[in-house]
Amino acid sequence: MTTQWKPSEIIIDRRAENDPATHFILSNCPSVPVKFVTSAKSNSVVAASNVLANSGDSMLEKIIAGKNVLFVAPASNSTVDTFTMPDERILCPHFDRVKFASNGCFYQCDWCYLKLTYRASRPFITVYANFDSIAEKLKKRLSQAQGPVIFNSGEMADSLALEHITGAARYFIPWFGRADNGYMFMLTKSDNVDDILDLDHNGHTIVAWSMNEASVSRKFEIGAPSFDRRLRAAEKVQNAGYPLRIRLDPIVPFDGWQAAYTETIRKIFEKIQPERITLGTLRFEPGFYKNRKTIFTSGQELPNMLEDMKPMFKEAKMPGGKSSVGKYSFSEEQRIEIFKIAIDEIRKYSDCKIALCKESADVWDRVGLEKSRCSCVCQLDYADMT
């Protein structure tokens, strides 16, 4: 069963009004109220929205309301760009991005970093029209590259959750299939895959599922498909010949987590054979952690698990003058235990490549992974982080 979500309200930038992508969106949402704005500035969109006007005053109320508002914007220069981790102590190789959407999706995952990164100032889901313009930006980047380039479409939003409305994947998967040196990485929790199974991907689109233990998904990834539905979708996509990867993140150390995640890993390999797996555990930006008492929708169980979290690093100046303590997370010893258990279980079934998401060099070393051969799911080959 595919999640056929529809927004409660659509707001369209007049500059994208007559674009084919906009027409496609409207054809898939025939009964949804539509408004128009002449600017993509947040205050213009917020002022036009009836949903947001009635959302309440708290950040959480605005976040939840904003997940029902779809803003259609023209493609900008930033729809194709490069991400670089500002704190070099957190190991994360830089990567190219393509944004078909930003500000997340309609799921209400409690730990989504976009709650603070964008929701406070842009409390709505943005999707981009002008696919031809985005394709030209991709073509320009590829023409300047010395080798193959992979573009991450799942860093600012779920890559497939909105596909039944936008059709972005149906446009760009064949486009990348024709590109000599262009690849696309799609990261999703969705089971919204039926419309991409027949596309000529030519192995140039890699699809990765963000997976979690079944009870964790049910409690804290509110509105997202269950573990079993994601696994069935991943199996369909692998059977359609797409390269398949898994992100098991965040691993949540609840009582009995070792046995529960052992079973989760067994079930994954019972159905699919991912070529790479990236592991992560709970970690939060300082501002997010500070708001942990008020920003979760699932109750107090998760905030109660986080009370012993500490900054990953000592405070230090970053390039540009800002200070950083990295992220808040569990102790290094606890994170190492989590990763070692997950790696040992994966190795019972596969010699697939394994990486850690946004971790310290010490943790990489102590779990026996090579920083010089980072094989994160978002990378086409290896990245050297030494």
Side-chain angles (χ1 to χ4, degrees):
M1 173 181 163
T2 300
T3 304
Q4 293 297 323
W5 171 87
K6 295 289 190 295
S8 299
E9 181 179 57
I10 296 173
I11 300 173
I12 300 172
D13 188 310
R14 286 284 186 190
R15 293 170 294 174
E17 180 179 0
N18 296 313
D19 190 81
T22 304
H23 293 165
F24 186 83
I25 290 167
L26 293 177
S27 72
N28 286 307
C29 303
S31 60
V32 177
V34 177
K35 290 191 172 185
F36 294 91
V37 292
T38 57
S39 168
K41 290 182 178 179
S42 179
N43 57 3
S44 297
V45 180
V46 171
S49 172
N50 289 333
V51 172
L52 292 173
N54 296 301
S55 67
D57 295 328
S58 74
M59 183 183 294
L60 185 57
E61 288 172 320
K62 291 181 184 299
I63 288 168
I64 294 171
K67 286 179 175 287
N68 292 295
V69 179
L70 193 70
F71 174 49
V72 184
S76 67
N77 289 333
S78 65
T79 51
V80 177
D81 66 6
T82 301
F83 171 83
T84 301
M85 174 58 66
D87 190 334
E88 293 183 353
R89 298 169 299 178
I90 299 175
L91 299 190
C92 181
H94 74 272
F95 52 84
D96 288 84
R97 299 187 292 195
V98 57
K99 302 168 197 169
F100 308 130
S102 62
N103 299 37
C105 63
F106 56 92
Y107 305 145
Q108 295 183 31
C109 302
D110 261 341
W111 38 67
C112 179
Y113 79 98
L114 291 168
K115 281 183 174 181
L116 284 194
T117 305
Y118 278 98
R119 290 288 176 186
S121 59
R122 294 183 69 80
F124 42 84
I125 300 168
T126 300
V127 294
Y128 296 102
N130 310 116
F131 290 170
D132 290 347
S133 175
I134 296 173
E136 286 301 315
K137 292 174 175 42
L138 292 168
K139 192 183 301 183
K140 180 179 179 181
R141 170 70 181 95
L142 292 172
S143 70
Q144 297 168 343
Q146 299 299 309
V149 181
I150 186 168
F151 295 87
N152 186 339
S153 70
E155 206 256 333
M156 303 303 293
D158 188 293
S159 293
L160 287 171
L162 300 171
E163 176 60 19
H164 60 289
I165 291 175
T166 68
R170 284 197 66 83
Y171 180 100
F172 282 98
I173 288 174
W175 189 92
F176 277 100
R178 298 187 296 270
D180 291 337
N181 63 331
Y183 293 78
M184 179 164 62
F185 171 70
M186 307 194 86
L187 178 64
T188 188
K189 290 185 176 78
S190 177
D191 58 352
N192 207 5
V193 300
D194 289 347
D195 287 345
I196 73 168
L197 298 178
D198 63 343
L199 300 180
D200 293 327
H201 57 79
N202 194 29
H204 278 229
T205 292
I206 298 162
V207 190
W209 261 266
S210 176
M211 293 286 196
N212 219 310
E213 192 273 335
S215 68
V216 169
S217 296
R218 186 170 59 252
K219 289 178 184 177
F220 307 122
E221 296 178 334
I222 300 163
S226 67
F227 170 80
D228 289 335
R229 284 171 57 187
R230 293 181 219 179
L231 195 55
R232 286 195 295 271
E235 186 178 23
K236 284 183 182 180
V237 164
Q238 187 162 62
N239 289 340
Y242 287 88
L244 179 70
R245 299 175 180 180
I246 293 295
R247 182 175 171 130
L248 189 57
D249 181 19
I251 299 173
V252 180
F254 59 91
D255 289 342
W257 70 269
Q258 296 94 331
Y261 279 97
T262 293
E263 180 66 3
T264 298
I265 291 167
R266 184 193 68 79
K267 287 181 177 179
I268 288 172
F269 284 99
E270 188 176 67
K271 290 289 187 182
I272 57 175
Q273 287 298 316
E275 60 183 24
R276 296 185 180 204
I277 295 181
T278 292
L279 304 172
T281 189
L282 286 165
R283 61 229 181 257
F284 300 97
E285 294 292 337
F288 197 124
Y289 187 73
K290 181 181 177 181
N291 283 280
R292 67 192 181 280
K293 300 287 190 182
T294 59
I295 205 167
F296 294 127
T297 57
S298 58
Q300 284 303 304
E301 182 179 358
L302 186 58
N304 290 342
M305 291 184 201
L306 312 182
E307 289 306 306
D308 294 332
M309 282 187 168
K310 297 288 190 296
M312 291 174 65
F313 308 105
K314 292 181 179 179
E315 187 169 352
K317 292 285 187 183
M318 297 294 107
K322 290 185 69 175
S323 295
S324 174
V325 295
K327 298 177 184 292
Y328 276 71
S329 191
F330 302 117
S331 70
E332 189 170 283
E333 294 301 323
Q334 188 172 6
R335 293 179 351 246
I336 289 167
E337 178 193 13
I338 289 168
F339 294 137
K340 280 186 172 180
I341 288 173
I343 291 168
D344 286 348
E345 290 303 316
I346 291 167
R347 287 291 175 246
K348 291 179 180 178
Y349 306 99
S350 174
D351 62 354
C352 67
K353 299 174 178 67
I354 301 175
L356 307 180
C357 183
K358 296 181 174 64
E359 258 299 343
S360 69
D362 284 347
V363 172
W364 273 78
D365 289 338
R366 291 179 63 188
V367 302
L369 296 177
E370 295 182 55
K371 302 187 295 294
S372 63
R373 302 273 289 172
C374 172
S375 54
C376 184
V377 292
C378 70
Q379 297 291 304
L380 186 60
D381 195 2
Y382 293 105
D384 188 344
M385 301 186 301
T386 55

